[in-house]
Amino acid sequence: MSIDVRNVSFFYNRGTSLEKHALENVSFSIEKGEFVLIGGEVGSGKSTLIRHLNGLIKPQSGSITVNGMDVRNKGVRSKVSLLMQYPQKQLFGKTVYEDICFGPSNFGLKGDALAKQVRDALKLVGLDEGVSALSPFSLSGGQMRLVALAGVLAMNPEYLVMDEPTSGLDPENRYLLLSTLSKLHSSGISIVVVSHQICELLPHAEKVIILKNGCIDFIGTPKEYLMSVSSPLPEITSLMKDLRLEGFNVRDDILTVDDAFLEISNALRSRGAKQNG
Ligand SMILES: Nc1ncnc2c1ncn2[C@@H]1O[C@H](COP(=O)(O)OP(=O)(O)OP(=O)(O)O)[C@@H](O)[C@H]1O
Ligand SMILES: [Mg+2]
């Protein structure tokens, strides 16, 4: 079970003077249950690429399959949910409730089961049930983003693909969103996130893909990514590198505070043992 992208290329305004080669011969896989982080400079093709993953954009050349099914097949939409870069483009309901229940009701959910699905989705993204009756357009940018996320979560996707999901959120909502993504990932959902904030997502990711001018510039694990770049690094990784430069025998490919704590504790313990012995 996976999404397989093979030799995909894409041009905007093909054959005109405005032709733009946005993706060039891109190949990679997203395994079922994997957490994939997609980065790259402004205009490198990230949004164009992920809009291909649920068939919103059809590949002009190459192929994409989802669990073996061609992405052109409409059935793919129930497996791959896409949260777009600008949530206001994705919202349309008169109320938040109407917006969130659109997807699941299209798949046949009704009555109490539908209402419960909406409630659960709101809870997952940390929004108060009271917003259900409001117009999505009366909400703040950050709240709109969370409503759009609740809308895609209500579809119970196998693959959740998001374009800059944390942009425009305050620190509390960023934290909430990242922990929601972790929870969803632990429950077996594949998560694909496009972000400029590589550092805040690296600890969660299993695979990192970096695009450059529409081509894959890097693909590997977060630790391989850390080894391949000099900056920017997550703060905790920078701290470990600094400690290493100061002579502490610690690993400098650390991504989480918990791992750093263990590593520093071990280094201090072995220093102490050497001094005592
Ligand atoms: N609708 C469009 N028509 C023409 N060109 C487009 C269109 N959308 C994107 N492009 C061009 O295709 C290239 C890739 O754009 P894309 O939006 O995929 O990049 P991105 O990596 O998502 O950028 P950002 O980080 O700014 O979101 C850019 O050069 C962009 O100008
Ligand atoms: Mg984009």
Side-chain angles (χ1 to χ4, degrees):
M1 293 294 197
S2 57
I3 299 183
D4 287 295
V5 178
R6 290 287 154 256
N7 306 111
V8 166
S9 294
F10 185 82
F11 293 84
Y12 286 103
N13 305 312
R14 200 173 199 173
T16 73
S17 57
L18 296 174
E19 182 172 289
K20 171 75 198 170
H21 202 169
L23 292 175
E24 201 173 336
N25 213 22
V26 170
S27 298
F28 64 93
S29 294
I30 297 160
E31 305 304 327
K32 182 89 174 70
E34 198 170 33
F35 196 126
V36 180
L37 172 58
I38 300 180
E41 289 166 6
V42 166
S44 54
K46 304 179 295 295
S47 298
T48 307
L49 174 62
I50 63 163
R51 280 186 218 137
H52 277 80
L53 300 180
N54 75 339
L56 195 62
I57 299 181
K58 314 278 181 267
Q60 291 169 343
S61 61
S63 69
I64 300 177
T65 56
V66 176
N67 300 346
M69 189 193 290
D70 189 287
V71 76
R72 289 179 179 80
N73 191 311
K74 285 231 156 49
V76 158
R77 296 275 174 104
S78 65
K79 300 193 185 313
V80 186
S81 281
L82 179 61
L83 181 69
M84 293 199 283
Q85 191 163 3
Y86 304 103
Q88 54 276 31
K89 287 193 185 170
Q90 207 154 344
L91 301 172
F92 57 88
K94 279 201 210 71
T95 62
V96 166
Y97 184 88
E98 203 177 282
D99 224 297
I100 299 176
C101 72
F102 177 77
S105 62
N106 262 350
F107 288 112
L109 217 58
K110 289 191 194 110
D112 288 349
L114 182 58
K116 180 175 181 314
Q117 191 83 343
V118 175
R119 271 200 312 273
D120 288 351
L122 280 172
K123 202 164 158 197
L124 261 179
V125 300
L127 279 174
D128 192 276
E129 228 184 294
V131 300
S132 285
L134 302 178
S135 159
F137 303 102
S138 68
L139 304 175
S140 72
Q143 288 172 320
M144 281 163 106
R145 185 167 293 272
L146 294 174
V147 169
L149 176 62
V152 295
L153 286 176
M155 311 258 285
N156 286 335
E158 281 181 42
Y159 301 88
L160 177 58
V161 183
M162 286 159 288
D163 205 345
E164 301 282 356
T166 58
S167 78
L169 296 183
D170 60 24
E172 197 182 325
N173 278 316
R174 284 178 103 85
Y175 177 77
L176 178 75
L177 187 99
L178 291 176
S179 37
T180 302
L181 295 187
S182 267
K183 246 189 285 166
L184 293 169
H185 179 227
S186 309
S187 75
I189 299 182
S190 312
I191 310 278
V192 181
V193 184
V194 164
S195 182
H196 282 112
Q197 309 281 338
I198 293 271
C199 293
E200 79 177 0
L201 281 146
L202 268 183
H204 302 277
E206 291 161 326
K207 183 184 280 172
V208 180
I209 297 172
I210 305 293
L211 291 180
K212 190 172 185 181
N213 297 326
C215 301
I216 290 189
D217 190 42
F218 171 89
I219 184 161
T221 63
K223 290 198 172 171
E224 287 164 346
Y225 173 76
L226 287 182
M227 296 298 127
S228 79
V229 293
S230 51
S231 67
L233 291 174
E235 279 175 20
I236 197 70
T237 314
S238 296
L239 172 72
M240 298 306 276
K241 279 195 188 289
D242 289 347
L243 284 174
R244 215 181 147 77
L245 286 174
E246 291 295 325
F248 279 86
N249 185 19
V250 290
R251 279 172 36 216
D252 57 4
D253 60 352
I254 295 291
L255 283 165
T256 66
V257 173
D258 286 351
D259 286 350
F261 179 76
L262 276 179
E263 195 63 15
I264 294 170
S265 307
N266 288 339
L268 288 175
R269 216 171 291 129
S270 63
R271 265 198 178 194
K274 263 188 210 148
Q275 277 163 5
N276 292 333

